[in-house]
Amino acid sequence: MSPRTGTGSSTAARVIAVIADVMAFIIILWILMYLLDANRANDLVQFVQESARWLAGWSYDLFTFDAAWARVVAGYGLAAVVYLFIGHAVAGRVRRF
């Protein structure tokens, strides 16, 4: 039998990276929907907006630009970048174990 070192940590790292990617995707999708003036009465748009607001609750009103689109892009965009950076950094550390 050959030892399969790193298989469990590799799977865990992949799961962590995918979760971070999905979180960032939801936030980026909301930014695009906002910029493209998606119909906010639509159930999908509402779901994406609520999910993104929950995920970016700590950053969505962090900036006070005069233009609403700039606040959305900066606030939500920051959250997406942080989730991607931290998620992939943690995944890289887990993969090394």
Side-chain angles (χ1 to χ4, degrees):
M1 280 196 260
S2 65
R4 294 179 50 171
T5 58
T7 302
S9 63
S10 178
T11 301
R14 201 170 311 124
V15 168
I16 292 168
V18 167
I19 289 171
D21 291 345
V22 168
M23 292 167 63
F25 174 77
I26 290 169
I27 294 169
I28 292 168
L29 184 59
W30 167 242
I31 292 170
L32 289 173
M33 287 179 169
Y34 182 86
L35 293 175
L36 295 173
D37 200 25
N39 178 7
R40 298 206 185 152
N42 181 284
D43 290 338
L44 176 63
V45 175
Q46 287 179 358
F47 173 77
V48 172
Q49 179 184 16
E50 290 168 7
S51 299
R53 187 168 204 148
W54 184 81
L55 290 169
W58 58 272
S59 70
Y60 76 89
D61 64 350
L62 188 64
F63 302 99
T64 57
F65 297 114
D66 289 336
W69 69 267
R71 286 192 305 271
V72 169
V73 170
Y76 286 93
L78 174 64
V81 169
V82 167
Y83 285 130
L84 284 173
F85 179 76
I86 291 176
H88 285 267
V90 169
R93 297 283 290 173
V94 169
R95 193 172 287 122
R96 288 186 199 123
F97 284 112

